[in-house]
Amino acid sequence: MNVYVGVRAASVGGVAIQTVQGYTVDHDLEAIAASLSVPFWGNGYDEIVVETGPELGERELADVPNAYSVVMTSFPDGTAIGAPVNVGVARH
């Protein structure tokens, strides 16, 4: 079963939402991309992998691990944090 949890608020019910590394939806996604040396297109739909777990098996893509990750995604009206996302396999 695939499960994905996405958060677009800095807190829910008074509880602050952040990743293990301390990223929040308030962070500047372009600055995060620069610090991780990954592309940032600025078109409103960037997806930046900020944390990655252990590899689950063989890689389908040579430069991307087959592992669950935490991603930050930009949208025209804000940023979201989502997990788990396996960016190393085909998604649709």
Side-chain angles (χ1 to χ4, degrees):
M1 172 171 58
N2 290 321
V3 178
Y4 172 86
V5 176
V7 178
R8 296 186 72 177
S11 66
V12 176
V15 177
I17 305 296
Q18 67 180 28
T19 71
V20 171
Q21 302 279 335
Y23 294 108
T24 67
V25 295
D26 298 334
H27 276 97
D28 179 347
L29 196 55
E30 185 173 7
I32 292 170
S35 74
L36 297 173
S37 299
V38 296
F40 182 82
W41 308 108
N43 64 0
Y45 298 98
D46 289 282
E47 182 177 76
I48 308 297
V49 176
V50 294
E51 297 173 16
T52 301
E55 291 208 38
L56 302 170
E58 290 187 36
R59 291 184 177 201
E60 290 184 18
L61 306 170
D63 59 341
V64 182
N66 173 5
Y68 289 119
S69 299
V70 176
V71 298
M72 294 188 69
T73 307
S74 67
F75 294 101
D77 61 346
T79 302
I81 296 173
V85 177
N86 190 339
V87 296
V89 295
R91 297 182 288 156
H92 49 79

